[in-house]
Amino acid sequence: AQTVTQSQPEMSVQEAETVTLSCTYDTSENNYYLFWYKQPPSRQMILVIRQEAYKQQNATENRFSVNFQKAAKSFSLKISDSQLGDTAMYFCALIPGTSYGKLTFGQGTILTVHP
Amino acid sequence: DTGVSQDPRHKITKRGQNVTFRCDPISEHNRLYWYRQTLGQGPEFLTYFQNEAQLEKSRLLSDRFSAERPKGSFSTLEIQRTEQGDSAMYLCASSLDGGLRPQHFGDGTRLSIL
């Protein structure tokens, strides 16, 4: 079984600053896929960034980057130059490599970006 | 690509009634997932289809729940004899194959049981 833990229920940041959201996970699989999804208020969930566990290089997507520490089973999300539109619930999620694609989600972190 | 669409957006019903939700995935996507999300929590997996075959059901899915995906296109999720604990957001997602390929989510159907 897989577990994903997000220990920060809420975070806030000033516009244009940088914020890091934490995520730890547990899985017995050697290969797996990690994701960060964003769910704005009353809007649909969208993919922010993804990482394959056997790739050492941290993924980046524009202002979003991850710090993947495989040994520590940690997968944090860094948002640079925060924008008001980044205000949302952020979910860390995992798919085991042997799975067809069932996502296991963390509890979520509510991020508020202040002007 | 019109995205994943779900209908209805909101459903209010009395306890004991049956409800049915519909999900239309992205047309070329062969995989379809249903998740349930309660307020302030992450989504929890309910069931998965590859084409028209239902390949896994979560233990969360009691025998009051049934899902279908006829012809591998749209899917329906039915809840019979609804209970207060069924109140949640029901999310549908689709993907092309699995692994690192992202799942695209619909807006969800919010179910409220009176």
Side-chain angles (χ1 to χ4, degrees):
Chain A
Q2 285 62 235
T3 59
V4 177
T5 303
Q6 295 176 249
S7 57
Q8 305 155 315
E10 293 186 43
M11 294 279 285
S12 63
V13 65
Q14 293 296 125
E15 199 174 6
E17 294 189 345
T18 295
V19 64
T20 298
L21 307 184
S22 301
C23 172
T24 58
Y25 60 89
D26 193 23
T27 179
S28 57
E29 306 250 346
N30 285 326
N31 194 30
Y32 45 89
Y33 308 96
L34 293 162
F35 303 83
W36 279 97
Y37 278 88
K38 166 186 175 181
Q39 188 176 40
S42 301
R43 294 178 60 190
Q44 65 183 210
M45 185 122 43
I46 57 174
L47 179 69
V48 174
I49 197 166
R50 51 189 161 168
Q51 172 94 33
E52 196 158 7
Y54 71 76
K55 290 191 175 176
Q56 302 257 351
Q57 188 171 5
N58 289 324
T60 61
E61 287 286 342
N62 302 314
R63 298 182 296 106
F64 299 88
S65 61
V66 297
N67 183 5
F68 174 47
Q69 301 288 327
K70 191 171 185 178
K73 295 186 175 178
S74 169
F75 184 62
S76 60
L77 174 69
K78 184 170 86 171
I79 305 174
S80 304
D81 185 27
S82 296
Q83 300 175 359
L84 296 178
D86 295 334
T87 293
M89 177 81 103
Y90 286 80
F91 292 101
C92 179
L94 178 151
I95 294 176
T98 54
S99 165
Y100 48 77
K102 177 172 79 173
L103 280 161
T104 297
F105 286 89
Q107 307 92 318
T109 297
I110 299 172
L111 175 67
T112 304
V113 180
H114 297 285
Chain B
D1 180 357
T2 56
V4 178
S5 62
Q6 292 188 246
D7 184 70
R9 291 291 304 276
H10 304 277
K11 179 71 176 178
I12 301 173
T13 192
K14 293 182 179 179
R15 184 167 56 90
Q17 297 295 303
N18 299 343
V19 294
T20 300
F21 312 140
R22 178 181 170 121
C23 171
D24 286 89
I26 293 171
S27 57
E28 65 268 26
H29 285 183
N30 56 344
R31 299 187 179 204
L32 187 146
Y33 311 82
W34 284 98
Y35 296 87
R36 181 169 67 189
Q37 185 179 21
T38 52
L39 202 60
Q41 299 297 314
E44 296 174 293
F45 169 79
L46 292 179
T47 190
Y48 154 69
F49 290 85
Q50 178 147 341
N51 301 312
E52 66 276 8
Q54 186 176 21
L55 298 185
E56 185 172 341
K57 289 172 60 172
S58 164
R59 293 190 199 104
L60 291 174
L61 223 60
S62 75
D63 55 10
R64 296 184 298 106
F65 288 72
S66 61
E68 294 182 340
R69 192 183 181 197
K71 303 178 183 177
S73 56
F74 72 92
S75 175
T76 58
L77 178 67
E78 181 182 16
I79 309 174
Q80 295 182 328
R81 305 180 304 280
T82 52
E83 301 174 354
Q84 291 283 351
D86 297 332
S87 294
M89 176 75 86
Y90 290 84
L91 296 170
C92 177
S94 69
S95 71
L96 186 61
D97 298 322
L100 204 56
R101 291 181 183 268
Q103 292 181 25
H104 297 258
F105 284 80
D107 289 332
T109 293
R110 182 168 295 285
L111 175 64
S112 299
I113 307 296
L114 300 178

